[in-house]
Amino acid sequence: MTDEITIRPAKLADLAAINAIYNHYVAHSTCVWTTQPCSKRERKAWYAEHGRTMPVLVAESDGRVVGWGALGTFRPAYTAAGTLEDSVYVHHDFQRRKIGSRLLAALIEAARRMGLRSILANISADQTPSIRLHEKFGFQEVAHLRQVGRKFGRRMDAVYLQLLLPANRRDRTEAPKHAAHR
């Protein structure tokens, strides 16, 4: 079965589908450690926070949102230095169709266009498919934090992966002139 998948910027009308996908994982997976579903009001505020500066994308098949991805703030100082965190979620009925790969590729391209220096991924250590997806795109593990979360009565580890993007023009012009002599 080959579905035609379109990746496009999310619209306000997509928020219910984005939330339904996310809330499924809140209830059924360790990929999200929170145990409280995201409300419509919270999702709308999240979307408004992203605004035009941080992309929110959806994967659409036959008019249905079947996945979404976003770049967002991890820490304000990191954002100021050109680093955002990615999120990628695929509807549970549409897994293993390369939708996550398409969304992540589109987010990486958006980050390049934005002139970002890097993308971080914060992934539950037991989520091997998500880790492998990021590694496929060149992300490298930069930290493994032990027992920093809890879900379903278990202690959870977090893995941080990072993708360094090619230096943009601003990075090259801000480098100290003597840096080449070190």
Side-chain angles (χ1 to χ4, degrees):
M1 177 175 166
T2 304
D3 296 313
E4 182 65 32
I5 303 294
T6 303
I7 306 296
R8 63 168 175 77
K11 302 179 282 197
L12 202 54
D14 298 322
L15 295 186
I18 288 171
N19 225 21
I21 292 168
Y22 179 82
N23 285 337
H24 170 83
Y25 291 108
V26 168
H28 300 286
S29 175
T30 58
C31 69
V32 178
W33 289 351
T34 185
T35 57
Q36 296 300 312
C38 184
S39 70
K40 291 177 184 179
R41 187 183 93 257
E42 290 168 323
R43 183 57 64 193
K44 193 171 181 181
W46 169 87
Y47 184 71
E49 177 184 300
H50 281 73
R52 295 179 187 262
T53 60
M54 294 182 283
V56 178
L57 306 174
V58 295
E60 187 177 68
S61 176
D62 295 323
R64 178 181 179 192
V65 172
V66 296
W68 64 272
L71 292 176
T73 298
F74 178 71
R75 292 192 175 177
Y78 294 0
T79 299
T83 295
L84 291 176
E85 179 182 18
D86 78 75
S87 298
V88 175
Y89 292 89
V90 176
H91 190 284
H92 60 280
D93 289 336
F94 285 81
Q95 300 225 341
R96 297 183 195 5
R97 298 185 193 183
K98 303 203 181 297
I99 295 168
S101 291
R102 302 251 331 257
L103 284 164
L104 186 54
L107 290 173
I108 292 168
E109 182 54 35
R112 287 187 173 117
R113 284 193 311 271
M114 294 168 65
L116 294 181
R117 186 63 187 119
S118 73
I119 304 171
L120 290 176
N122 174 7
I123 303 171
S124 184
D126 68 332
Q127 294 296 316
T128 304
S130 187
I131 293 168
R132 297 294 171 258
L133 169 66
H134 283 79
E135 289 175 341
K136 180 175 105 176
F137 282 92
F139 283 73
Q140 295 181 346
E141 184 175 321
V142 293
H144 187 123
L145 306 179
R146 306 221 182 272
Q147 299 184 15
V148 293
R150 182 185 272 299
K151 181 98 181 241
F152 303 134
R154 299 186 337 229
R155 291 277 179 193
M156 306 299 299
D157 291 1
V159 176
Y160 285 82
L161 294 102
Q162 182 180 29
L163 176 65
L164 289 175
L165 299 168
N168 61 41
R169 185 176 304 141
R170 186 182 67 209
D171 285 340
R172 289 191 297 269
T173 59
E174 289 178 356
K177 291 182 184 191
H178 57 81
H181 300 288
R182 289 186 182 175

